[in-house]
Amino acid sequence: MDVCSYRLTTGDKEDNQEVVTRGSFETTDWGILRESVGDDINQMTDCITDYINFCTDTIVPVRQVRCFPNNKPWITKDLKKLLNKKKQAFRVKDKNC
């Protein structure tokens, strides 16, 4: 069993990470980031990427999820229960289950 990290959004309208992230980027003084590295495009790219990752890390929560090698990431606990119920009904040949 592997433990994977996924970035998840809560979906709450009041605590919408997209709006908070966008607000963070809108209030950023990008000129200071540009001036701090000069004209080197590689350093500028690294600096801006690091800043974007910093903003994302502080705003969007990270949740640990157990990943089983035989399950795809979209298989939720509820879906797994339904799949197991279907398998059990198939084994006992229950058409009403």
Side-chain angles (χ1 to χ4, degrees):
M1 171 178 59
D2 294 333
V3 176
C4 306
S5 295
Y6 290 101
R7 295 224 171 266
L8 302 175
T9 57
T10 61
D12 296 338
K13 298 295 181 193
E14 301 164 353
D15 187 28
N16 192 344
Q17 287 87 10
E18 180 182 351
V19 172
V20 174
T21 305
R22 185 174 294 135
S24 175
F25 292 149
E26 288 174 355
T27 59
T28 299
D29 185 2
W30 296 100
I32 292 175
L33 293 175
R34 261 193 320 253
E35 291 171 7
S36 68
V37 295
D39 291 333
D40 186 7
I41 189 70
N42 292 325
Q43 285 183 346
M44 187 180 304
T45 303
D46 290 341
C47 179
I48 292 174
T49 301
D50 289 343
Y51 179 72
I52 291 172
N53 288 335
F54 168 76
C55 290
T56 305
D57 290 342
T58 57
I59 295 169
V60 180
V62 175
R63 179 173 155 195
Q64 295 293 324
V65 179
R66 292 186 306 171
C67 299
F68 297 95
N70 56 344
N71 286 344
K72 302 296 181 207
W74 58 85
I75 302 293
T76 62
K77 187 188 308 184
D78 295 332
L79 185 56
K80 187 69 174 174
K81 285 179 186 177
L82 288 172
L83 289 170
N84 287 335
K85 187 175 179 180
K86 176 184 168 188
K87 286 179 191 176
Q88 183 181 12
F90 184 74
R91 272 185 252 142
V92 296
K93 297 183 183 355
D94 184 4
K95 299 194 191 269
N96 295 324
C97 195

